[in-house]
Amino acid sequence: MQEGRTIKVGVLGATGTVGQRFITLLSAHPWFVIDALGASSRSAGKPYAKAVKWKQSTPIPSAVREVGVVECVPEHFKDCAIVFSGLDADVAGDIEAAFRSADLAVFSNSKNFRKDPHVPLIVPYANPAHFAIIPQQQALQSPPLKKGFIVTNANCSTTAVVIPLTALERAFGPIESMLVTTMQAISGAGYPGVPSLDILDNIVPYIGGEEEKLEWETLKILGGIAEGDDGVKAFDMHARHPLRVSASCNRVPVIDGHTECVSVRFARRPPPSPQQVREALAAFTPDAQTIGCPSAPRHTIVVHEEADRPQPRLDRYYQDGASVSVGRVRQCPVLDIKFVVLGNNVSIGAATSSILNAEIAVLKGIVVTK
Ligand SMILES: NC(=O)c1ccc[n+]([C@@H]2O[C@H](COP(=O)([O-])OP(=O)(O)OC[C@H]3O[C@@H](n4cnc5c(N)ncnc54)[C@H](OP(=O)(O)O)[C@@H]3O)[C@@H](O)[C@H]2O)c1
């Protein structure tokens, strides 16, 4: 990226939990400049500061306070090279498809296109190689597209666990099986989210659709792109990956930060020791760090030695929530190794992942910036 050059971007769902994190991060971004903010017809026509119920710990950035919120239609975003989406999943499918058809590059947080065999599901520290499917996705649209595409990032609980899994696979080869139990923050349900009478003094051992998402998304991310008999490339979740995943998801009375207890079994025998695992996690340096993404943290995985870390209240904002924390790495008497991972669900679990994906796409020339 040329020094001093900027790129106009838009945010769909700008008033929501993820949208507010986008606004906070993009307002301080060295390349991206907010050009348009979209939300529902309830918010459209109002200045951003009047439309939003701002829940961030820093004030609304002054540059967006008076920006008028618009409806989520492509004509309002025609000057944007990149559109970030934090839309409610009930509406994201049709709106994001319309933006792609208008030849806009969409980076989405919603679940709607994650299963599409021609849409990459990218965790920026794990599988940026999956951007390779974009020309295929563009060629399959009618008419074929030159600039428009959809890239999704993963569910917040999937993102946190896939980062250490990627580091471990790079160091020690395939992981055969994983058991994961999550303790997920309330903000993961958006605003106003879980009623206070359901979550205070309580744990809810069910989050609709979450366990299935964690189980299949992990395979798509760690898996590969396969070419069918017709020569069309598509994601095949089992093309490379033999991993079996069992997930148990719980909502807990924490505001931000998903904590996950993970046990893994490696294909290789003997498996690595806990110390080898700690060293591999701490040394993990994904491409996002080396190619110059401005939002990449100095350490992608922060490994804690203390017996009682990571903890959401203490560790969720480290490096602005762009890294994950891993601790309690130890032997598992059933599988091989167990550990605890903490990821900030609104940052690396959502907006930060989208922004990093867009940074990678700009650096690789996948986004057309004129
Ligand atoms: N929260 C997390 O930690 C997290 C993590 C990863 C992924 N996600 C995903 O990210 C997406 C957003 O989540 P969230 O937690 O930010 O939700 P949220 O707080 O409920 O925000 C939803 C946004 O969608 C907008 N919207 C609703 N109906 C609309 C319509 N008909 N047309 C246009 N805009 C509409 C809302 O605008 P108004 O204010 O005008 O209603 C708001 O800006 C969801 O798909 C979610 O699954 C969330």
Side-chain angles (χ1 to χ4, degrees), residues 13-18 39-40 42-43 72 86-89 91 95 109-110 114 156 187-188 190-191 345-346 349-350:
T15 48
T17 304
V18 173
S40 76
R42 295 179 290 276
S43 307
C72 295
L87 282 170
D88 191 298
V91 298
I95 295 176
N109 279 276
S110 300
R114 288 185 194 149
C156 33
S187 61
Y191 186 84
N345 52 297
V346 188

Side-chain angles (χ1 to χ4, degrees), residues 143 213 236 270 350:
K213 274 189 238 166
D236 178 346

Side-chain angles (χ1 to χ4, degrees), residues 249 312 367:
C249 295
V367 167

Side-chain angles (χ1 to χ4, degrees), residues 128-214:
H130 285 183
F131 274 116
I133 200 81
I134 296 291
Q136 182 81 79
Q137 186 191 135
Q138 291 173 319
L140 289 171
Q141 304 309 306
S142 176
L145 300 173
K146 289 202 173 70
K147 297 188 289 181
F149 58 78
I150 295 174
V151 167
T152 60
N153 42 282
N155 181 46
C156 33
S157 51
T158 310
T159 299
V161 78
V162 154
I163 295 167
L165 289 188
T166 301
L168 294 179
E169 289 218 321
R170 280 197 199 160
F172 308 115
I175 294 171
E176 266 181 12
S177 33
M178 171 174 76
L179 302 175
V180 53
T181 301
T182 71
M183 290 157 278
Q184 299 185 215
I186 312 167
S187 61
Y191 186 84
V194 191
S196 55
L197 280 179
D198 286 344
I199 197 64
L200 286 174
D201 185 31
N202 206 12
I203 290 172
V204 181
Y206 173 72
I207 305 174
E210 197 79 358
E211 293 173 355
E212 295 76 11
K213 274 189 238 166
L214 223 168

